[in-house]
Amino acid sequence: MKVLETADAMRAWSEEQRRADKSIGFVPTMGALHEGHASLMRAAAKGNDIAIASIFVNPTQFAPHEDFDKYPRTWDADLKICEDCGVVAIYAPRKDAIYPPGYATYVNVEGLSEGLCGVTRPIFFRGVATVVTKLFNAVHPHRAYFGQKDAQQCAVIRRMTLDLEFGIEIVILPTVREADGLAMSSRNRYLSAEERTRALCLSRSLFGAEQMLRDGVRDAKSIVDFVRDGMAEVQIDYVELVDADTMQPVEHIEKPSVLAVAAFVGPARLIDNVVLNPK
Ligand code: PAF
């Protein structure tokens, strides 16, 4: 497995693959890899001639009070997971290679970045959109893979890819869960056993909402109230039912809509969602 550390080296290698007519699938990550990332990498390897992953803990998507310094860095374990999943090259730039002194350019996807996670994390999506732009420019993939767990991030990246005409197919794959329902997240590592048990109320409430939909409930207020009640044992950041593309609130489910939650559980801020499809 190749490890490339600069955009120039990454781009040169990638262009060489393209000249040899190889299709490239790309999985951007911040490391601390788990089965959710592995499912994206396996799909990238299966659906393309070559799978590339990036590992870069992106400072611009963390506010000063957030967990950038504490974010888990598990390089050796990450390399093994990448290799096992069929990744052939890793782009792992250093911070200064992405943001050299004097760096001044940011990508802002308006309208999609302000609600939901954007309320508590106002600079988050600007950081994500900026770094993903730079990663796309260096890797120049045909397809890029993201997890549905980050529903708002998926909407931001889909919009940005369209607006900036990257010509990259964005593939969104389902959330991978632990056997007891907890959505996989690098931040689950922050949870004590007691906090982890409490964190289960997120997925439990979302599954309950899916049952309500199956029982014929369509109005957002009843569903959101139900989920909020189910999450009484954690500190709720938000519970919202939104349109999957615009991330704007919906009052009545007429087409597939995202029921998204975020909550603080001990030291971790966790997110989760389900897609409620009325059909
Ligand atoms: O989802 C993530 O891990 C990050 O937000 C991403 C897309 C790798 C950008 O830093």
Side-chain angles (χ1 to χ4, degrees), residues 18 22-31 33-55 85-87 89 128 131-132 135-136 139-151 153-155 157-158 160-161 166-176:
R18 280 180 163 251
K22 308 270 192 218
S23 60
I24 299 173
F26 174 47
V27 183
T29 83
M30 299 206 300
L33 303 180
H34 50 67
E35 186 51 34
H37 300 108
S39 73
L40 303 180
M41 292 180 190
R42 281 193 289 266
K46 190 156 179 245
N48 302 274
D49 296 318
I50 279 179
I52 299 177
S54 64
I55 298 180
C85 293
V87 166
V128 168
V131 80
V132 171
L135 296 170
F136 280 179
V139 175
H140 197 190
H142 296 85
R143 295 186 188 83
Y145 295 74
F146 296 88
Q148 170 63 28
K149 201 202 101 200
D150 304 306
Q153 172 170 282
C154 292
I157 286 165
R158 266 199 310 256
M160 176 186 90
T161 302
F166 280 120
I168 296 169
E169 184 187 337
I170 303 300
V171 183
I172 311 293
L173 294 181
T175 302
V176 178

Side-chain angles (χ1 to χ4, degrees), residues 81-228:
I81 293 174
C82 289
E83 195 143 36
D84 289 349
C85 293
V87 166
V88 293
I90 296 181
Y91 179 37
R94 295 194 190 288
K95 188 173 142 206
D96 274 11
I98 296 280
Y99 302 112
Y103 188 85
T105 304
Y106 293 89
V107 179
N108 199 22
V109 182
E110 295 177 1
L112 290 173
S113 303
E114 295 84 7
L116 303 171
C117 288
V119 175
T120 308
R121 308 189 72 191
I123 63 159
F124 176 68
F125 290 110
R126 181 181 90 138
V128 168
T130 301
V131 80
V132 171
T133 295
K134 291 178 66 84
L135 296 170
F136 280 179
N137 283 339
V139 175
H140 197 190
H142 296 85
R143 295 186 188 83
Y145 295 74
F146 296 88
Q148 170 63 28
K149 201 202 101 200
D150 304 306
Q152 190 175 11
Q153 172 170 282
C154 292
V156 165
I157 286 165
R158 266 199 310 256
R159 186 75 248 172
M160 176 186 90
T161 302
L162 211 63
D163 289 352
L164 297 184
E165 302 169 72
F166 280 120
I168 296 169
E169 184 187 337
I170 303 300
V171 183
I172 311 293
L173 294 181
T175 302
V176 178
R177 298 181 179 280
E178 305 282 359
D180 56 11
L182 185 68
M184 290 204 186
S185 163
S186 304
R187 292 188 167 96
N188 290 347
R189 294 166 207 241
Y190 298 155
L191 301 172
S192 69
E194 180 273 330
E195 288 157 354
R196 197 193 169 292
T197 304
R198 274 195 294 128
L200 289 174
C201 71
L202 277 70
S203 52
R204 196 169 51 233
S205 305
L206 292 172
F207 299 157
E210 287 181 318
Q211 186 55 48
M212 284 175 86
L213 183 82
R214 284 193 289 272
D215 292 343
V217 181
R218 294 284 182 276
D219 76 293
K221 187 173 179 324
S222 309
I223 291 176
V224 167
D225 286 350
F226 168 84
V227 172
R228 293 191 82 90

Side-chain angles (χ1 to χ4, degrees), residues 233-278:
E233 57 197 302
V234 296
Q235 189 194 330
I236 294 174
D237 182 3
Y238 63 75
V239 176
E240 283 196 52
L241 185 67
V242 295
D243 179 273
D245 293 318
T246 65
M247 293 285 123
Q248 294 306 307
V250 298
E251 283 178 10
H252 198 260
I253 305 175
E254 264 136 40
K255 60 180 192 128
S257 308
V258 178
L259 178 59
V261 302
F264 299 95
V265 190
R269 180 178 174 282
L270 303 178
I271 59 172
D272 198 353
N273 69 82
V274 289
V275 177
L276 297 182
N277 187 346

